[in-house]
């Protein structure tokens, strides 16, 4: 199957300015692009089976995993989350943003590419829990929207209002291009969750969402509890969703198409 291209453009291969042409240097620089404290730890290494000395060093397709690069990322879970399910979404999303940035700079520096991003969450207690991970079949070095953040925010606020959401907070992660982080509230949780089944709702909220680096949208009820979360990292082709159990039958929490 051919790799998927989400962005309208592919950027020319280059080594990022100021980044040492080593894999570890690229990881360190990518971590520094995200907000302070977003990443607890990030390490490149072989497959988990290979690293542990196990005998499962080949994938189902016969690929020698000992020659593959895996990015192992630990991300802090936000304390206010009422359940690990909700907290894990944002953690995995940040790890995927990091993975996309690392992969593209590895490719540009001719240092190979990533096989997968492995994600763990550090809970407020200090316990580290493995969540999941992955990496989609996507074209590397995509150039997503370079719209000014002020203009992008104006459009996003208008889009959120058009589907009945009140934006409480908005900021941006910029691993390469902008990925909005939006916390919004709804007076009709069931109605919104049902409407969010359609890609038309995502288009109303985000505009040309395939041309964004990614997004994190957390919709809360009037009491401030998360109801629905959608998080996508287009550079790695990974989408993660969470819906509160009492609404879970209504929606998949990411765009269908």
């Amino acid at each position: 199957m051919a790799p998927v291209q989400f962005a309208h453009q592919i950027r020319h291969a280059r080594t990022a300015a100021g980044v040492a042409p080593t894999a570890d240097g690229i990881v360190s620089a990518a971590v520094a692009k995200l907000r302070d404290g977003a990443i607890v730890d990030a390490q490149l290494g072989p497959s988990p089976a290979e690293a542990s000395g196990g005998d499962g060093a080949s994938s189902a397709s016969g690929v020698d995993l000992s020659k593959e690069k895996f990015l192992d990322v630990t991300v802090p879970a936000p304390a206010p989350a009422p359940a690990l399910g909700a907290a894990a979404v944002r953690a995995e999303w940040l790890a995927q943003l990091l993975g996309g940035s690392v992969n593209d700079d590895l490719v540009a520096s001719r240092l190979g590419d990533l096989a997968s991003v492995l994600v763990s969450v550090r809970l407020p207690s200090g316990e580290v829990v493995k969540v999941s991970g992955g990496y989609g079949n996507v074209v590397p070095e995509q150039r997503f929207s370079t719209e000014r953040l002020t203009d992008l925010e104006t459009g996003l606020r208008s889009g959120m209002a058009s589907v009945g959401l009140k934006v409480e907070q908005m900021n941006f992660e910029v691993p390469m291009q902008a990925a909005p982080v939006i916390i919004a509230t709804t007076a009709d949780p069931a109605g919104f969750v049902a409407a969010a089944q359609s890609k038309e709702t995502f288009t109303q909220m985000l505009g040309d969402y395939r041309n964004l680096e990614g997004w994190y949208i957390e919709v809360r009820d009037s009491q401030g509890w998360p109801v629905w979360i959608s998080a996508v990292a287009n550079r790695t082709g990974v989408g993660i969703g969470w819906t509160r159990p009492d609404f879970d039958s209504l929606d998949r929490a990411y765009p269908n198409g």
Side-chain angles (χ1 to χ4, degrees):
M1 184 180 295
V4 176
Q5 179 178 329
F6 293 104
H8 299 318
Q9 299 178 334
I10 301 296
R11 62 200 178 105
H12 294 295
R14 86 287 178 271
T15 300
V19 175
T22 67
D24 287 344
I26 284 170
V27 173
S28 296
V31 169
K33 293 176 186 175
L34 299 178
R35 60 180 173 79
D36 289 346
I39 306 296
V40 173
D41 187 52
Q43 301 288 334
L44 277 175
S47 74
E50 179 72 13
S52 63
D55 56 6
S58 293
S59 71
S61 61
V63 174
D64 182 359
L65 296 181
S66 67
K67 298 179 180 178
E68 299 289 303
K69 290 185 180 69
F70 288 74
L71 184 64
D72 199 340
V73 185
T74 302
V75 185
L84 180 58
V89 173
R90 190 163 188 171
E92 185 169 358
W93 178 71
L94 286 167
Q96 290 293 337
L97 288 186
L98 178 69
S101 177
V102 168
N103 181 77
D104 278 15
D105 276 335
L106 287 173
V107 170
S109 301
R110 295 176 175 80
L111 292 172
D113 56 9
L114 292 180
S116 189
V117 178
L118 309 176
V119 187
S120 297
V121 172
R122 177 173 289 175
L123 303 178
S125 65
E127 180 185 3
V128 175
V129 179
K130 290 191 178 298
V131 180
S132 59
Y135 204 104
N137 182 26
V138 291
V139 174
E141 299 194 287
Q142 297 185 61
R143 182 177 177 84
F144 294 98
S145 174
T146 56
E147 187 176 5
R148 291 189 308 172
L149 294 186
T150 52
D151 294 338
L152 185 56
E153 179 172 352
T154 297
L156 290 169
R157 286 184 178 276
S158 176
M160 295 292 142
S162 75
V163 296
L165 297 178
K166 178 184 178 183
V167 175
E168 305 292 346
Q169 302 173 38
M170 185 184 302
N171 53 59
F172 296 89
E173 295 286 357
V174 189
M176 284 189 165
Q177 278 90 52
V181 178
I182 302 169
I183 308 297
T185 54
T186 175
D188 180 15
F192 172 77
V193 172
Q197 293 185 77
S198 71
K199 64 181 181 181
E200 287 76 15
T201 297
F202 280 83
T203 299
Q204 284 181 265
M205 292 191 295
L206 298 169
D208 185 5
Y209 57 80
R210 290 173 64 93
N211 199 43
L212 288 173
E213 174 96 9
W215 64 83
Y216 176 91
I217 304 172
E218 180 176 312
V219 177
R220 299 175 178 176
D221 62 20
S222 56
Q223 283 72 49
W225 293 107
V227 171
W228 177 92
I229 301 173
S230 172
V232 168
N234 277 331
R235 199 172 293 282
T236 62
V238 173
I240 315 119
W242 177 88
T243 306
R244 204 168 70 194
D246 47 331
F247 298 109
D248 194 42
S249 64
L250 297 176
D251 188 45
R252 297 176 61 195
Y254 54 88
N256 300 317

